[in-house]
């Protein structure tokens, strides 16, 4: 459940009878460690925009809200599509406003889904605990959307439009939901907000500059705060811009890549580093550049990968020693050249959107880690240790890697012959910690959360090793308990579930850390004091 939805849930007894002004005041006063994450048309950087698939994925990527666009069919049904024509997303020249809802459902979008109704999206938002940021595209869609929200008793919502007349219409009809005016580059947000009776200003300035954050002047921010107008930011996918915007007093940031806004940021008192096992492999195909980049973007420090060797002696990243499971090729990896593997399809087995993913060379991952200024956890499968060290040395990537293998002799060789290399040892492979440490102090000792003694962390650290816990489960309760043990790292399949668990752990009242609820201001609502 998102932070925003937990907030609305805490108010469920009062919210039914709240006015728009009361809801606006609550939203304006809502404080949190970082701006809300609004997935632009869902996770549209990963899936087809404005589809149930894109919205469901946005929820998994820890978005707080989904930005959706509303059109009307010929018989007045509210549906979700940015364009009124199906050309872009379905390849057919059909205008939504010209066909009935029943007829519209007969067309299939490029991902195989029909155009979703707003009702369906509300139902999914309720199931996943996400809010809706609704942009009114079609004339006359506003009152119909409001009626539908009331009918379905859905309150975690903001309604917006570029057209001030559509917002003013809803204000005149005593719409109970906060209204946001979308502001094009060059326009005055405050005059538009006044004309449209808006409660928020949504600055659509992504194309106004290479550094549009500079347009958010101190004067503009102060004026917005004085008028109690929360600021929502354009859809942004530039890492440097997002980093700057996250430090500014804005209410929400839209993004096609919601993992960049909802990214994992551990508290300094418990700075657990995420190690993504084979990349973010629950969202993108394992051991591909897509899964590695997704992991880095969401805040993981390290990507775990597996090395095998090609017929022409190149080191490549793939888990199995055969190609059958994760590519469109078959047979042993060692019987194919790097050139052959660079042309294979290593992603369609997971999702059609990843059909261009290939089996990539180890050097490509070294370059990726360097670009993100992050790390790799390298497991040697069918890979010569000396050859691996040569590639790491050639790029001076010692500080960006640590190594392990089921072949203990390879780990021993690395540790003895390459003192600048860092190795990992598994606690489960030794009768006790003293025997493990007798092999030489590793950079990391990995503990399995199910079978190892998790009370040894202090002893392990005292020897000079870091503690990493292998946690391949997806249970939130177990993850929250593990976070309380404060390991240095976690080796996990699903970093997004872990990030949610970390948020739960923070809100559980860890001593010395102020939670968002503790930091929030008291706001007068309907004559009573509530904590937002």
């Amino acid at each position: 459940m998102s932070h925003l939805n937990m907030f609305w849930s805490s108010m469920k007894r009062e919210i039914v009878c709240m006015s728009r002004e009361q809801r606006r005041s609550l939203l304006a006063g809502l404080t949190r460690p970082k701006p809300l994450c609004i997935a632009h048309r869902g996770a549209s950087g990963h899936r087809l925009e404005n589809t149930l698939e894109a919205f469901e994925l946005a929820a998994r990527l820890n978005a707080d809200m989904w930005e959706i666009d509303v059109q009307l069919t010929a018989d007045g049904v509210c549906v979700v599509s940015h364009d009124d024509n199906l050309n872009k997303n379905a390849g057919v020249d059909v205008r939504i406003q010209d066909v009935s809802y029943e007829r519209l459902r007969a067309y299939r979008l490029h991902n195989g889904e029909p155009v979703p109704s707003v009702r369906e999206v509300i139902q999914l938002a309720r199931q996943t605990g996400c809010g809706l940021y609704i942009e009114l595209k079609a004339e006359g869609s506003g009152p119909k959307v409001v009626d539908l929200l009331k009918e379905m008793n859905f309150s975690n919502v903001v309604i917006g439009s570029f057209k001030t007349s559509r917002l003013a219409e809803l204000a005149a009809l005593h719409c109970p939901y906060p209204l946001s005016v979308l502001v094009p580059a060059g326009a005055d947000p405050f005059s538009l907000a006044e004309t449209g009776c808006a409660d928020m200003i949504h600055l659509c300035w992504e194309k106004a500059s290479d550094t549009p954050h500079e347009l958010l002047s101190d004067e503009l921010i102060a004026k917005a705060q004085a008028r109690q107008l929360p600021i929502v930011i354009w859809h942004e996918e530039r890492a440097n811009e997002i980093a700057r915007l996250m430090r500014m007093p804005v209410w929400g940031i839209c993004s096609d890549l919601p993992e960049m806004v909802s990214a994992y940021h551990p508290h300094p008192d418990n700075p657990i580093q995420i190690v993504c096992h084979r990349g973010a492999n629950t969202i993108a195909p394992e051991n591909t550049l897509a899964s590695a980049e997704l992991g880095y973007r969401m805040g993981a420090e390290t990507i775990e990968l597996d090395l095998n060797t090609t017929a022409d002696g190149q080191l490549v990243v793939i888990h199995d020693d055969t190609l059958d499971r994760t590519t469109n090729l078959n047979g042993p990896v060692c019987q194919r050249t790097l050139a052959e593997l660079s042309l294979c399809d290593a992603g369609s087995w997971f999702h059609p959107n990843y059909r261009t993913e290939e089996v990539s060379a180890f050097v490509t991952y070294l370059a990726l880690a360097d670009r993100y200024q992050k790390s790799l956890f390298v497991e040697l499968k069918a890979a010569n240790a000396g050859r691996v060290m040569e590639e790491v040395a050639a790029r001076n990537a010692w500080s960006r890697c640590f190594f392990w293998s089921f072949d203990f002799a390879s780990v021993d060789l690395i540790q003895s012959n390459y003192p600048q290399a860092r190795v990992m040892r598994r606690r489960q492979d030794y009768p006790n910690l003293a025997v493990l440490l007798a092999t030489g102090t590793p950079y990391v000792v990995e503990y399995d959360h199910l079978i190892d003694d998790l009370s040894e962390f202090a002893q392990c650290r005292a020897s000079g090793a870091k503690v990493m816990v292998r946690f391949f489960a997806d249970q939130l309760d177990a993850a929250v308990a593990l976070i309380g043990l404060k390991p240095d790292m976690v080796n996990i399949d699903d970093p997004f579930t872990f990030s949610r668990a970390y948020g739960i752990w923070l809100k559980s009242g860890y001593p010395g850390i102020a939670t968002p609820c503790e930091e929030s201001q008291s706001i007068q609502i309907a004559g009573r004091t509530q904590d937002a």
Side-chain angles (χ1 to χ4, degrees):
M1 181 182 291
S2 74
H3 174 81
L4 186 59
N5 201 60
M6 286 190 287
F7 162 68
W8 283 124
S9 296
S10 70
M11 303 299 301
K12 60 186 177 183
R13 286 192 297 272
E14 292 84 5
I15 201 152
V16 173
C17 59
M18 278 187 188
S19 68
R20 179 165 65 94
E21 174 61 25
Q22 289 168 333
R23 295 176 199 241
R24 186 209 62 78
S25 295
L26 282 170
L27 287 174
L30 180 61
T31 58
R32 53 176 287 131
K34 57 185 180 180
L36 295 175
C37 173
I38 305 171
H40 184 243
R41 308 179 195 174
S44 57
H46 302 286
R47 301 291 187 267
L48 185 63
E49 65 179 42
N50 276 320
T51 60
L52 295 180
E53 182 183 36
F55 299 135
E56 189 275 335
L57 181 58
R60 294 174 63 192
L61 297 178
N62 296 335
D64 294 294
M65 306 184 86
W66 312 328
E67 188 269 347
I68 72 173
D69 303 285
V70 177
Q71 303 283 355
L72 286 179
T73 63
D75 50 348
V77 177
C78 296
V79 296
V80 178
S81 176
H82 179 270
D83 299 350
D84 176 50
N85 195 293
L86 298 183
N87 256 326
K88 176 183 175 183
N89 287 342
V92 292
D93 186 13
V94 173
R95 291 204 311 169
I96 293 174
Q97 63 178 321
D98 292 341
V99 296
S100 68
Y101 176 64
E102 182 179 3
R103 178 58 181 161
L104 181 67
R105 298 288 285 188
Y107 296 103
R108 283 296 178 264
L109 302 175
H110 292 313
N111 71 340
E113 294 182 14
V115 174
S117 68
V118 172
R119 181 181 295 275
E120 288 176 304
V121 175
I122 293 173
Q123 290 169 339
L124 183 60
R126 175 173 283 124
Q127 292 167 12
T128 57
C130 290
L132 296 179
Y133 191 94
I134 301 173
E135 182 182 345
L136 305 175
K137 290 291 187 183
E139 189 70 34
S141 57
K144 290 181 178 292
V145 166
V146 169
D147 288 344
L148 186 56
L149 291 167
K150 289 178 179 178
E151 175 196 332
M152 300 184 71
N153 192 26
F154 189 79
S155 298
N156 191 350
V157 63
V158 172
I159 300 175
S161 179
F162 280 103
K163 302 287 188 180
T164 56
S165 59
R166 293 175 188 170
L167 301 179
E169 175 189 28
L170 294 184
L173 294 172
H174 305 290
C175 168
Y177 307 105
L179 302 175
S180 177
V181 63
L182 279 62
V183 182
D188 176 13
F190 303 106
S191 63
L192 291 179
E194 184 175 358
T195 302
C197 304
D199 308 299
M200 295 181 171
I201 51 175
H202 182 149
L203 309 177
C204 300
W205 296 352
E206 64 271 13
K207 296 180 181 179
S209 164
D210 289 336
T211 54
H213 76 277
E214 295 174 352
L215 301 176
L216 273 71
S217 65
D218 292 342
E219 179 184 2
L220 184 150
I221 291 172
K223 194 171 183 180
Q225 291 175 336
R227 300 188 181 198
Q228 296 185 308
L229 290 171
I231 298 173
V232 181
I233 298 301
W234 56 86
H235 75 87
E236 183 58 71
E237 292 76 43
R238 292 163 288 194
N240 289 339
E241 282 299 287
I242 288 178
R244 294 183 178 100
L245 292 170
M246 295 292 284
R247 296 191 291 268
M248 302 182 81
V250 299
W251 185 80
I253 302 173
C254 294
S255 183
D256 295 346
L257 301 172
E259 69 273 10
M260 298 184 73
V261 179
S262 66
Y264 173 73
H265 295 287
H267 193 280
D269 286 357
N270 192 8
I272 301 173
Q273 294 181 359
I274 288 178
V275 179
C276 282
H277 181 243
R278 308 182 198 174
N281 73 77
T282 61
I283 305 297
E286 66 176 57
N287 276 322
T288 60
L289 293 175
S291 65
E293 287 216 61
L294 182 56
Y296 283 149
R297 285 198 302 262
M298 70 77 54
E301 177 62 30
T302 303
I303 300 300
E304 188 269 350
L305 55 82
D306 305 279
L307 289 185
N308 277 283
T309 306
T310 65
D312 50 345
Q314 301 299 308
L315 297 171
V316 292
V317 176
I318 184 171
H319 179 271
D320 300 355
D321 59 3
T322 60
L323 297 159
D324 305 60
R325 182 175 65 88
T326 59
T327 80
N328 63 336
L329 301 178
N330 51 43
V333 175
C334 65
Q335 293 181 4
R336 300 279 188 165
T337 66
L338 177 60
E340 289 178 289
L341 297 183
S342 68
L343 296 175
C344 77
D345 175 352
S348 288
W349 67 272
F350 187 91
H351 189 279
N353 281 17
Y354 297 109
R355 61 186 176 277
T356 59
E357 291 301 309
E358 62 193 47
V359 176
S360 296
F362 178 42
V363 295
T364 307
Y365 282 79
L366 290 172
L368 182 70
D370 187 64
R371 176 157 63 89
Y372 277 92
Q373 296 290 289
K374 294 197 175 184
S375 304
L376 298 172
F377 170 22
V378 181
E379 180 178 340
L380 282 64
K381 297 287 190 181
N384 177 269
R387 178 80 178 86
V388 174
M389 296 303 105
E390 287 177 6
E391 294 211 355
V392 173
R395 288 152 187 81
N396 193 27
W398 301 111
S399 64
R400 298 216 179 279
C401 301
F402 60 97
F403 308 92
W404 182 74
S405 176
F406 279 104
D407 177 9
F408 295 171
S410 291
V411 181
D412 293 340
L413 183 150
I414 293 171
Q415 193 162 24
S416 61
N417 293 359
Y418 303 91
Q420 66 273 58
R422 307 182 299 185
V423 302
M424 187 275 282
R425 302 275 185 177
R426 297 195 312 177
R427 175 65 181 84
Q428 70 187 76
D429 296 326
Y430 300 86
N432 55 60
L433 185 59
V435 174
L436 185 157
L437 295 174
T439 65
T441 302
Y443 174 66
V444 174
V445 174
E446 183 184 67
Y447 288 79
D448 188 298
H449 82 290
L450 293 176
I451 63 176
D452 289 325
D453 182 358
L454 303 185
S455 68
E456 295 179 349
F457 291 1
Q459 183 183 355
C460 183
R461 289 193 182 105
S463 73
K466 293 183 180 294
V467 172
M468 179 168 71
V469 176
R470 185 168 70 253
F471 183 81
F472 291 164
D474 58 2
Q475 297 92 358
L476 280 173
D477 290 347
V480 171
L482 171 62
I483 291 163
L485 297 177
K486 297 187 175 182
D488 300 303
M489 308 174 185
V490 288
N491 183 13
I492 52 178
D493 280 324
D494 187 349
F496 299 97
T497 295
F498 183 84
S499 183
R500 285 194 296 276
Y502 196 96
I504 293 170
W505 178 80
L506 278 177
K507 293 179 178 67
S508 70
Y510 167 68
I513 295 181
T515 67
C517 289
E518 291 168 348
E519 294 172 347
S520 63
Q521 301 173 351
S522 294
I523 302 172
Q524 286 295 128
I525 304 169
R528 295 191 297 140
T529 299
Q530 300 285 340
D531 288 327

